[in-house]
Amino acid sequence: MPIISARNVSKHFGGVHALVDAKIDCYAGEIHALVGENGAGKSTLIKILCGVVLPDQGELFLKGKQIQLTSPVDAVQAGIASVFQELSLLPDLSVAENVFLGSEPRTKFRLIDFKAMEKKTEEIMKQLEFDIDVRTLVKDLPLAQQQLVEIAKALSKNPDVIILDEATSALGSKEVELLFRLLRRLTREEGKTVILISHKMDELEQIADRATIFRDARYITSFAWGEMTNAEIIDQIAGRKIDTIFPEKRVNLPKEYVLELENVSCANRLSHVNLAVRRGEIFGLAGLSGQGQSDLLDVIYGSQVLDSGVIKIGGEAKQIRNPRKGLAAGVALTPADRKNDGLLLSRGSGENMMLPTLKKRSRFGIIDSKKEAEDTKRMIDLLQIKLSSPAQLAGTLSGGNQQKLVLGKAILTDADLLLLSDPTRGIDVGTKYEIYQLIRRLAESGKTIILYSTENMELLGLCDRVAVFRDGEVAAVLEGEKFTEHEILKAALGMEETEVGA
């Protein structure tokens, strides 16, 4: 008997079919992968299983009994806990306060017992093997540790069913290994059920027992992992055959340098960074997470101010002290956290794309609505964004289409230097293919791309060269025959050749 099942579940949002007669069966003691393109219906289904969204029709079963989940509280009481891709933590509260939010231990006078709360949180962190100070404010933690706090918050309720929506998208390799060890223990030793949404095939190969594929809001098939090859899975996900996901690289690059960094340092995050990037180049930033890659992008764009050093763009030294000056210098950034840093989720999709270029399309304070409509349509067609109209709220789009909006904003600035921070985070393989092709076309048109990605295979497949960061410094710049995953890992870990082979 499945521990949790869905039958004939459908959901509409206006004229959009988010789910049509969907189904899934998940068993105790298994890690069940839910895979499909963005917009395929995966997130809608798990939101229904978590009580966040009510279905238009269909039935849910838990341990063989039909259930009604009308709110997240119902789901928690039924033993279902969830961790969504977009974090729900309160940044100005401590780790302990976030973990016990809404269920804080009380003193006999009904006041919050902070000492007991911190002690219980420390016990939870120790049990989960998460090395996080429970008194730290969440906003002071790196994104990877914030994701672990979100997971700890869900597991603190001791659920029978754990649903993880792209839980590894913000994690580095060490955190992923730690999480997978935890999930194996929870399923193999404690008999819990894990439903995992992920677009990373290499991770699913390591962890998944079974999988269900969704496409175009419909159930396609379920299978035991290993019964289908990766190529067959990708074809089923995309509904079409994808022979190779990465576009062909350029053989010869122009010799003109668009960006030059000389001894760039910033607080304790960057130290004496020296780099030179050519026009039309896709230049990668690699290394373990939190080693200064995102900080470098922020410094170039103006989100962080450098302490010392020189930034040259087009051969001219620039003082970039804020994003407005960054845009004026021909630099655009797509942030990794599209929800908090990239979009206004409560505003229209078209409006979001137009925000950085309002000045270009207005005169005497009056916006050229015709030009705005033309540019919006051009970006929607170029990026193949799936929406009912440009007025559709950005927050109602799938994660992949939200990411395309963020890219559209950057492209519309017509910047010569595009800084992309994990641009395919939480994106399905079909959409990744489209974004990779777009990035290569932009480079061939003369744009310079600096790409930070937490996926080494993405850097290897797409970039012309890569700089490996360690402790805020450039440990190595790799190209040609030296540009391999082996060399990336060796530089990232500070290992000698003999140590790597050991």
Side-chain angles (χ1 to χ4, degrees):
M1 179 186 298
I3 191 170
I4 189 167
S5 299
R7 288 285 180 275
N8 306 118
V9 175
S10 295
K11 181 65 183 179
H12 301 77
F13 294 103
V16 179
H17 296 267
L19 279 178
V20 180
D21 292 328
K23 66 175 182 178
I24 192 171
D25 289 319
C26 301
Y27 297 86
E30 76 169 2
I31 299 173
H32 193 115
L34 186 54
V35 294
E37 292 187 323
N38 292 101
K42 309 181 305 297
S43 292
T44 301
L45 178 62
I46 67 165
K47 285 177 181 177
I48 289 172
L49 295 177
C50 297
V52 175
V53 171
L54 300 179
D56 297 333
Q57 67 179 50
E59 299 172 322
L60 302 180
F61 297 89
L62 185 66
K63 300 177 183 178
K65 296 181 180 180
Q66 188 171 351
I67 56 171
Q68 297 288 334
L69 301 177
T70 60
S71 71
V73 174
D74 289 346
V76 171
Q77 290 176 346
I80 303 170
S82 57
V83 176
F84 291 106
Q85 182 179 354
E86 309 297 351
L87 301 180
S88 62
L89 303 175
L90 298 181
D92 291 311
L93 296 184
S94 70
V95 170
E97 288 169 326
N98 269 279
V99 169
F100 279 92
L101 188 64
S103 57
E104 298 88 347
R106 302 279 176 171
T107 67
K108 62 181 179 179
F109 301 109
R110 304 306 301 156
L111 299 174
I112 296 176
D113 191 336
F114 287 96
K115 188 174 181 179
M117 182 168 62
E118 289 173 355
K119 183 179 180 181
K120 288 182 179 181
T121 308
E122 285 175 345
E123 291 172 356
I124 292 169
M125 293 298 178
K126 184 177 180 180
Q127 182 182 8
L128 300 179
E129 299 180 23
F130 293 173
D131 185 16
I132 300 173
D133 185 346
V134 302
R135 298 168 185 81
T136 303
L137 297 183
V138 164
K139 66 181 181 183
D140 294 330
L141 295 175
L143 186 58
Q145 289 199 341
Q146 290 184 27
Q147 185 74 71
L148 294 179
V149 173
E150 188 84 67
I151 292 168
K153 180 180 175 181
L155 296 181
S156 68
K157 300 173 176 62
N158 193 28
D160 295 318
V161 179
I162 304 145
I163 301 176
L164 305 176
D165 184 2
E166 293 293 346
T168 66
S169 61
L171 302 182
S173 57
K174 286 185 177 179
E175 292 89 359
V176 170
E177 183 180 343
L178 174 62
L179 176 61
F180 283 2
R181 189 164 64 244
L182 172 62
L183 296 183
R184 291 189 187 100
R185 189 178 82 226
L186 291 173
T187 52
R188 274 53 165 180
E189 298 177 15
E190 300 181 29
K192 297 186 183 296
T193 301
V194 173
I195 302 174
L196 177 66
I197 291 182
S198 177
H199 297 300
K200 298 181 179 180
M201 298 295 292
D202 57 334
E203 291 183 358
L204 293 178
E205 280 185 298
Q206 297 177 49
I207 199 71
D209 298 309
R210 290 198 313 127
T212 293
I213 295 175
F214 275 68
R215 186 174 69 241
D216 297 330
R218 289 174 166 82
Y219 166 88
I220 300 300
T221 188
S222 293
F223 60 96
W225 200 272
E227 290 181 351
M228 296 172 65
T229 66
N230 281 357
E232 290 171 335
I233 295 170
I234 291 172
D235 290 345
Q236 289 282 355
I237 290 171
R240 60 191 185 278
K241 191 169 184 61
I242 297 179
D243 295 319
T244 177
I245 193 168
F246 294 108
E248 188 175 347
K249 295 184 181 182
R250 298 173 72 179
V251 177
N252 297 311
L253 288 168
K255 297 188 181 298
E256 175 192 0
Y257 287 104
V258 170
L259 175 70
E260 296 168 88
L261 305 178
E262 299 175 0
N263 291 314
V264 168
S265 298
C266 178
N268 297 320
R269 299 181 177 90
L270 296 171
S271 178
H272 304 291
V273 174
N274 291 279
L275 289 173
V277 185
R278 303 182 183 98
R279 180 172 297 281
E281 182 174 17
I282 302 176
F283 190 90
L285 305 181
L288 302 177
S289 61
Q291 300 300 302
Q293 304 96 322
S294 295
D295 299 291
L296 181 67
L297 298 184
D298 287 338
V299 164
I300 297 170
Y301 184 56
S303 300
Q304 292 187 45
V305 180
L306 56 80
D307 292 334
S308 61
V310 177
I311 298 175
K312 292 183 180 179
I313 297 178
E316 182 181 348
K318 299 287 185 179
Q319 295 289 329
I320 304 176
R321 298 192 173 277
N322 56 58
R324 181 175 295 178
K325 289 187 178 294
L327 286 170
V331 183
L333 169 71
T334 66
D337 188 348
R338 57 179 173 260
K339 176 183 176 183
N340 293 311
D341 301 329
L343 296 171
L344 299 176
L345 299 179
S346 61
R347 306 306 290 261
S349 300
E351 183 180 358
N352 267 277
M353 280 196 293
M354 295 297 113
L355 282 174
T357 55
L358 280 175
K359 190 174 181 180
K360 290 184 178 180
R361 289 172 290 98
S362 61
R363 189 177 183 186
F364 305 119
I366 299 174
I367 296 173
D368 185 341
S369 56
K370 182 179 179 182
K371 174 66 173 170
E372 183 175 279
E374 289 173 353
D375 286 346
T376 301
K377 185 178 186 306
R378 179 164 62 89
M379 281 299 105
I380 291 173
D381 292 343
L382 174 68
L383 300 173
Q384 299 180 356
I385 302 173
K386 297 177 183 177
L387 38 65
S388 57
S389 77
Q392 183 176 345
L393 300 184
T396 64
L397 298 181
S398 68
N401 286 302
Q402 287 181 2
Q403 189 63 47
K404 289 180 179 181
L405 281 188
V406 175
L407 284 169
K409 285 175 60 179
I411 293 170
L412 278 170
T413 65
D414 200 28
D416 287 329
L417 180 59
L418 296 175
L419 313 177
L420 310 182
S421 182
D422 238 355
T424 64
R425 177 187 166 212
I427 302 299
D428 62 83
V429 67
T431 306
K432 278 186 178 181
Y433 173 81
E434 295 169 4
I435 290 176
Y436 294 155
Q437 298 291 332
L438 173 64
I439 291 173
R440 178 53 67 184
R441 288 199 303 272
L442 289 169
E444 289 176 352
S445 73
K447 305 293 185 186
T448 299
I449 314 291
I450 299 184
L451 171 69
Y452 167 51
S453 176
T454 52
E455 296 185 47
N456 285 337
M457 292 308 297
E458 187 166 89
L459 295 169
L460 290 166
L462 197 58
C463 296
D464 302 301
R465 292 187 298 153
V466 67
V468 184
F469 276 71
R470 186 174 71 248
D471 296 329
E473 299 180 0
V474 177
V477 176
L478 306 176
E479 60 182 310
E481 294 181 356
K482 282 285 189 180
F483 188 9
T484 65
E485 186 169 24
H486 177 89
E487 292 294 329
I488 289 175
L489 292 173
K490 187 173 77 170
L493 297 172
M495 289 183 171
E496 297 296 332
E497 186 67 34
T498 54
E499 292 175 314
V500 174

